Amino acid sequence: MIEDYLVLSVILFCIGILGVISRRNVFTVLMSIELMLNAANLAFVAFARLNETMDGQILAMMVIAVAAAEAALGLAVIILLHRQKGRLDSNVFSLLKG
Amino acid sequence: MEHTVNYLVCIPLLPLAGAFVLGMMHMFTCKNPLPEKLYSFLAMLGPLGSLIFTLIVFATLREMPAESRYLTQDLFTWFSVGDLHVDMGFFADPLSTLFLLFVTFIGSLIHIYSIGYMAGEENFGKYFAYFNLFLGSMLILVLGNGPVVMFIGWEAVGLCSYLLISFYTKERDNVLAGNKAFIVNRVGDLGFVLGVAVLFWGLHSALGGAGFDYLNIKASASSLTGGAGLAVCLLLFLGATGKSAQIPLYVWLPDAMAGPTPVSALIHAATMVTAGVYMVARFSFLYASFPLAGDVVAWVGILTALLAAIIGCFQRDIKKILAYSTVSQLGYMFAGVGVAAYSAGIFHVFTHSFFKALLFLGAGSVIYGLHHEQDIWKMGGLKKKMPLTWIVMVIGALALAGFPPFAGFFSKDEILFMALAKGHWMIWLIGVGVAGLTAFYSFRLIFLVFHGEPRDQKSYEKAHEPPPVMTIPLIILAVGATFAGFFNLPSFFAGDSMVSTWLAPSLLEHHSEASRVTEGVAMVLSIAVVLLGIFYAWKTFAFKPQDKPLTGFAKWAEDKFYVDEFYNAFIVQPWIAFGRTISNFIEPNIVDFPIKGTAWLYGVLGMLFKVFQAGYVRVYAIYMVIGLSLMSIFLSQSL
Amino acid sequence: MYIDTLFSIFALTAVAGSLGLVLFRHPMRSALCLAVTMISLAGIYALLSAKLIFLLQLIVYAGAVTALIVFIIMFLNLREKDLPEENERFTYFIGGAVVLIPVAWFMIKVMKSIPEVKNSIVGNGFGSIKEVGQMLFTNWLVPFEIISLLLLVTLIGAVVLAGIRRESND
């Protein structure tokens, strides 16, 4: 019963990872990260239900707060990147190339 | 009697502090130098202070009973490893006090003279900083309480000689001469270090952790085995040949004339070259127990005396003549200490320091008066222009030649007589011959420089007597050169051998007695030889000397028997070739190979791995996921 | 069992929404798919009787964060040529899926190993605002304060990064 929720969380998490590695659009990458955070949240809440304590829910709340902060900063960075190059392609920003 | 005092350290420390202060002042005011008077005043403080403390030491020692006359001061433990325990400390006994007396006294006089000689020169402050350093180093050498502390001074005088010989750094030859002095001394220093090491190795069980100083070494010297003792003596003597310019390492001393003339005076009279004689006398208890080593010392000494005297007869440069005379006189000293006549050898060091300082400073006056002309064939007739210099130079030459009653006579004759009395009649014979040669070349110098007709009218016109700051030290030294010999008047002249008696507690000496008749005959013979030498010089050079090119043997002697060339061809050049081989072949190909190979390896690895550093964020995420995947595979095995 | 039915519906929409998020080319469509996923997840939280989280998910995620993303996308006024080509994204997607199979398999294996608990019925207060709030301000006070500090830092950071326009630029 609870397993189903956890399996759903794993599936959503993996799709998030796939989004990060297969997309070059920085918006999509950011949203994929949000998706992964949500998957983690789901696992927290499911475990909270399983153990019948509310600590997992509180952790989920904190993750939501962190995710909101991350979204705000991530979008700020995206605006900066767009301002610098006028593109949203993550391959354009390859200053680390060896 | 209390032997520990706390003022010994002041003797070397004052000149060293002076050197530090002067050096700092010179360094920080290089661009616009301070007045010379200030430098002169500061430079005089150190030597004079040392002289005062030396007199205090001398007075204190005289109060003590003769058999336990020594003062010590231990500052701190320098190092202590296993049985080797070395204290930084000082030790004054009659021997070192005698050295202290003439080193500080003559050193101070040369300092005063330098004020006049160096006036107006560039780097005035640096010169006096080096001078004070030189004096301080020599005092450490003499005062050190053991061979290890002595070695500090031993090395430091080598350094100072290098600095001062190449003082006029703008000329390449001067720098080369400084290098030569330093490198040749290094050869000797190696011998000294090895000698001290072998000495410790031979004594370490007998010392048993006690301080490695002269008193303890002397006390346990009897435990030294024959082979080790002989090795110590010969290795230490190798060190002495370097410092004191004996065969085979004498070649640096004539070249050392490149420096300013007072430097030559300081090196030849008061410091540096006497270090070897001092060291041999200091270890007299060793040399006395190994007569073979003593014979080697004596023979090397007398042969050096002969060789240097022959070369000295044919030189043209006034300073070179004096340099070879120093080598020759040092040979006498080693002959003296070699035949176990230590007090006679030391006494010759003492008198020699007076008349050699006098001769060098006199020569300096001549050079100064003629505006840096050094070739004696371009001088002549200077007697009228520089009467005072003439008088003191004649006194110096008479003392050098060993004419009674001047200082050199008593000391040199003492050495020769002791050699004869101890049965080394060959050494005596060569020594008498060398005395004749010495008389010849010293009066050749006098006659060519001061008598006859001026050969170079232009420089003759400009010649003048130097200022009083230079002549006063000359007069003092002339008085010393005349009367220093009476300090050790032998019993033959109803004297009481004051210096020998004073030195007796420091030295292990067995007096040999010979009959009065032998002594008298030997003395008359050597005076006759000296007179012959002077007469021959007078006959050849006093009236119409001919400066014709030398031929045959004389040409050989003028070119120093090609010893420098021989060393160059058979030692220096192979060594340079060896160095070249190492630097051109072994170093780049063998030593550098692992280093270059490592760098190359990392270069290649970098080329390989940089492919993975794509610069795209997504690619790094993929690497992470691959790692995660592999980790998952691994972990699910154990689940 | 209507709960199972509801879970199946929410799970399907969530997965569909997330796939849409990853595969749509235009970020606006992705953002809308994200909103769908968020709302489905909110429903699943409700099924797990986490009332407060349900509310927060709707308000903060589906409301604020998604609105913010949509707002920024529209703010940047993206044209077709501004977007990357990304023709290779399906290749990467399939390759990534293959690489992720061990990860998913491992995680599912871990989940399966959790001992099965029979589905108990929790009290009325479980997950309510009052109970969670009480817990938050007693046991979790310090982390809560740290989170508030984090939000403050984020605020300043966002202003510094995006807010200040340098004259020399553009």
Side-chain angles (χ1 to χ4, degrees):
Chain A
M1 164 59 196
I2 273 300
E3 280 168 21
D4 299 340
Y5 294 89
L6 293 173
V7 171
L8 176 63
S9 139
V10 170
I11 290 167
L12 290 180
F13 186 81
C14 287
I15 292 172
I17 291 181
L18 285 175
V20 171
I21 64 177
S22 68
R23 296 303 300 265
R24 272 155 54 188
N25 190 319
V26 282
F27 269 113
T28 318
V29 171
L30 184 71
M31 287 187 276
S32 301
I33 293 168
E34 295 287 340
L35 183 63
M36 283 154 76
L37 286 167
N38 264 301
N41 261 353
L42 176 57
F44 274 130
V45 176
F47 278 119
R49 178 71 182 79
L50 178 67
N51 294 334
E52 294 176 19
T53 59
M54 284 172 290
D55 300 88
Q57 295 186 10
I58 287 168
L59 273 172
M61 272 174 64
M62 304 222 162
V63 172
I64 288 172
V66 171
E70 180 252 336
L73 275 184
L75 288 168
V77 170
I78 288 172
I79 291 173
L80 267 184
L81 293 178
H82 188 260
R83 209 186 279 165
Q84 288 280 327
K85 302 261 182 187
R87 302 276 303 275
L88 291 173
D89 191 343
S90 70
N91 279 9
V92 171
F93 311 104
S94 60
L95 293 176
L96 277 175
K97 186 170 171 60
Chain B
M1 199 79 193
E2 189 57 57
H3 289 300
T4 311
V5 291
N6 56 7
Y7 51 80
L8 278 183
V9 66
C10 295
I11 296 174
L13 204 60
L14 283 170
L16 290 178
F20 182 75
V21 171
L22 288 169
M24 284 293 148
M25 277 167 58
H26 176 73
M27 248 168 70
F28 290 117
T29 61
C30 239
K31 292 282 182 294
N32 35 0
L34 298 171
E36 291 185 357
K37 285 209 166 67
L38 178 64
Y39 280 125
S40 315
F41 174 72
L42 286 175
M44 289 314 300
L45 287 180
L48 288 179
S50 299
L51 181 58
I52 290 165
F53 277 109
T54 303
L55 291 173
I56 294 173
V57 170
F58 180 62
T60 316
L61 284 181
R62 279 187 60 118
E63 297 296 309
M64 294 180 162
E67 56 278 0
S68 64
R69 258 183 199 156
Y70 66 90
L71 293 172
T72 58
Q73 180 181 8
D74 280 348
L75 294 180
F76 52 87
T77 300
W78 185 7
F79 55 83
S80 184
V81 183
D83 284 343
L84 181 58
H85 181 88
V86 176
D87 281 322
M88 187 72 196
F90 298 107
F91 173 76
D93 69 343
L95 176 64
S96 39
T97 309
L98 183 74
F99 268 79
L100 285 181
L101 281 171
F102 77 77
V103 167
T104 51
F105 179 66
I106 291 176
S108 305
L109 287 180
I110 298 173
H111 269 76
I112 297 172
Y113 179 90
S114 299
I115 295 170
Y117 188 86
M118 293 302 286
E121 297 260 2
E122 213 182 335
N123 292 331
F124 192 79
K126 187 166 88 173
Y127 175 84
F128 278 103
Y130 288 166
F131 240 58
N132 271 348
L133 184 63
F134 206 153
L135 202 63
S137 315
M138 187 63 195
L139 293 172
I140 288 181
L141 194 160
V142 172
L143 265 183
N145 71 345
V148 183
V149 180
M150 185 202 234
F151 188 65
I152 304 174
W154 191 268
E155 288 295 301
V157 292
L159 168 71
C160 294
S161 67
Y162 163 73
L163 291 174
L164 281 169
I165 290 167
S166 46
F167 182 73
Y168 296 127
T169 42
K170 284 180 182 150
E171 302 247 347
R172 184 180 156 79
D173 282 352
N174 297 347
V175 179
L176 287 180
N179 279 344
K180 186 173 178 183
F182 196 67
I183 293 167
V184 171
N185 265 303
R186 302 300 313 164
V187 179
D189 294 345
L190 178 69
F192 186 83
V193 174
L194 288 177
V196 172
V198 175
L199 179 65
F200 174 73
W201 175 74
L203 290 181
H204 76 279
S205 53
L207 283 171
F212 191 51
D213 55 30
Y214 297 131
L215 288 174
N216 290 330
I217 293 171
K218 197 170 178 176
S220 53
S222 54
S223 68
L224 211 58
T225 58
L230 197 61
V232 170
C233 290
L234 292 178
L235 285 169
L236 288 179
F237 180 59
L238 180 63
T241 59
K243 274 283 170 294
S244 294
Q246 297 296 297
I247 293 173
L249 300 178
Y250 71 91
V251 288
W252 67 270
L253 194 61
D255 283 20
M257 296 300 112
T261 311
V263 173
S264 312
L266 193 63
I267 292 179
H268 289 240
T271 61
M272 186 95 180
V273 296
T274 57
V277 187
Y278 170 75
M279 195 266 292
V280 174
R282 179 49 87 195
F283 288 104
S284 59
F285 52 89
L286 284 180
Y287 284 93
S289 12
F290 299 100
L292 182 61
D295 288 351
V296 171
V297 173
W299 273 103
V300 168
I302 202 71
L303 289 176
T304 309
L306 181 64
L307 181 74
I310 293 172
I311 297 175
C313 290
F314 298 98
Q315 294 299 306
R316 311 175 59 97
D317 185 326
I318 184 166
K319 285 171 81 179
K320 283 261 162 85
I321 296 172
L322 292 176
Y324 279 106
S325 81
T326 303
V327 178
S328 175
Q329 297 301 309
L330 287 165
Y332 270 128
M333 295 166 202
F334 277 104
V337 294
V339 299
Y342 300 106
S343 62
I346 296 300
F347 185 55
H348 197 49
V349 173
F350 177 71
T351 55
H352 172 257
S353 71
F354 281 97
F355 62 74
K356 190 47 60 68
L358 174 64
L359 282 168
F360 263 113
L361 298 184
S365 293
V366 172
I367 295 166
Y368 182 86
L370 294 179
H371 301 282
H372 296 274
E373 177 56 64
Q374 301 195 359
D375 189 344
I376 53 173
W377 285 101
K378 294 196 176 148
M379 300 173 185
L382 288 176
K383 191 169 98 178
K384 295 185 203 72
K385 286 272 186 175
M386 314 171 94
L388 185 78
T389 311
W390 174 66
I391 294 171
V392 297
M393 285 292 274
V394 169
I395 291 174
L398 284 171
L400 173 63
F403 192 79
F406 295 96
F409 168 72
F410 293 104
S411 51
K412 186 195 288 185
D413 215 62
E414 177 83 2
I415 291 174
L416 292 177
F417 171 64
M418 291 303 279
L420 188 63
K422 286 175 194 274
H424 299 278
W425 62 271
M426 272 295 284
I427 288 175
W428 174 79
L429 203 61
I430 298 174
V432 171
V434 172
L437 286 172
T438 309
F440 171 73
Y441 68 66
S442 45
F443 277 88
R444 170 177 175 263
L445 188 154
I446 294 290
F447 290 134
L448 280 178
V449 172
F450 292 103
H451 293 254
E453 294 302 314
R455 279 176 295 276
D456 188 344
Q457 204 63 41
K458 217 171 77 188
S459 59
Y460 177 77
E461 298 294 331
K462 287 187 292 183
H464 58 87
E465 199 69 79
V469 71
M470 291 165 73
T471 48
I472 287 169
L474 283 177
I475 294 166
I476 296 172
L477 285 170
V479 171
T482 313
F483 296 110
F486 293 107
F487 283 123
N488 199 23
L489 209 57
S491 50
F492 186 80
F493 294 110
D496 51 1
S497 299
M498 229 161 68
V499 174
S500 299
T501 318
W502 168 255
L503 287 173
S506 296
L507 305 168
L508 203 66
E509 202 166 29
H510 308 289
H511 278 281
S512 310
E513 291 302 324
S515 70
R516 284 288 172 94
V517 180
T518 321
E519 192 171 355
V521 169
M523 208 173 279
V524 169
L525 202 62
S526 78
I527 293 170
V529 169
V530 166
L531 281 173
L532 192 69
I534 296 174
F535 172 74
Y536 188 65
W538 176 71
K539 193 165 155 268
T540 322
F541 296 110
F543 302 106
K544 288 243 176 285
Q546 297 295 314
D547 182 16
K548 52 178 184 289
L550 299 169
T551 51
F553 179 77
K555 173 76 182 144
W556 269 53
E558 191 189 10
D559 291 336
K560 305 154 201 165
F561 294 111
Y562 303 101
V563 170
D564 277 332
E565 285 76 4
F566 175 81
Y567 282 173
N568 191 39
F570 287 95
I571 297 169
V572 179
Q573 290 305 332
W575 203 247
I576 289 175
F578 178 61
R580 288 249 162 79
T581 316
I582 287 178
S583 86
N584 292 346
F585 176 73
I586 294 179
E587 204 245 336
N589 293 330
I590 295 175
V591 179
D592 281 357
F593 178 72
I595 297 152
K596 283 181 179 161
T598 312
W600 178 83
L601 180 71
Y602 282 108
V604 168
L605 286 177
M607 296 283 281
L608 283 177
F609 283 118
K610 100 174 181 186
V611 174
F612 294 98
Q613 182 135 3
Y616 305 131
V617 182
R618 186 172 58 166
V619 175
Y620 299 133
I622 290 171
Y623 296 151
M624 210 167 80
V625 170
I626 290 171
L628 199 63
S629 170
L630 293 174
M631 210 167 75
S632 302
I633 292 170
F634 175 73
L635 284 176
S636 51
Q637 308 269 309
S638 58
L639 206 66
Chain C
M1 290 292 277
Y2 73 99
I3 284 186
D4 284 346
T5 321
L6 277 179
F7 172 77
S8 304
I9 294 167
F10 285 140
L12 280 175
T13 46
V15 172
S18 58
L19 283 174
L21 159 73
V22 172
L23 293 175
F24 275 123
R25 175 147 180 267
H26 199 284
M28 186 58 89
R29 293 176 192 172
S30 298
L32 293 176
C33 288
L34 180 64
V36 170
T37 311
M38 300 285 186
I39 294 165
S40 315
L41 280 175
I44 286 172
Y45 293 154
L47 291 180
L48 287 168
S49 32
K51 295 153 202 153
L52 178 61
I53 302 297
F54 163 73
L55 285 175
L56 286 177
Q57 178 79 6
L58 279 182
I59 297 167
V60 177
Y61 255 126
V65 174
T66 315
L68 185 65
I69 290 172
V70 169
F71 172 73
I72 295 293
I73 293 168
M74 291 163 86
F75 171 78
L76 289 181
N77 191 19
L78 295 171
R79 285 157 298 175
E80 190 64 19
K81 70 175 175 57
D82 291 339
L83 299 173
E85 277 299 319
E86 298 192 277
N87 290 328
E88 80 290 4
R89 65 182 188 274
F90 298 104
T91 325
Y92 273 95
F93 188 84
I94 293 162
V98 170
V99 173
L100 276 176
I101 285 171
V103 181
W105 185 56
F106 169 69
M107 286 201 282
I108 289 168
K109 220 170 151 184
V110 172
M111 305 295 179
K112 293 271 184 201
S113 67
I114 293 166
E116 184 63 45
V117 185
K118 70 174 169 40
N119 198 6
S120 59
I121 293 168
V122 288
N124 229 3
F126 183 79
S128 71
I129 297 174
K130 188 183 167 197
E131 301 235 334
V132 175
Q134 270 176 350
M135 207 164 181
L136 188 63
F137 289 111
T138 50
N139 294 356
W140 292 81
L141 187 61
V142 176
F144 177 74
E145 292 297 334
I146 293 172
I147 287 289
S148 64
L149 204 66
L150 177 79
L151 287 173
L152 179 68
V153 172
T154 311
L155 184 72
I156 298 166
V159 169
V160 168
L161 278 178
I164 298 161
R165 256 210 134 90
R166 272 154 291 177
E167 272 87 45
S168 60
N169 243 356
D170 310 319

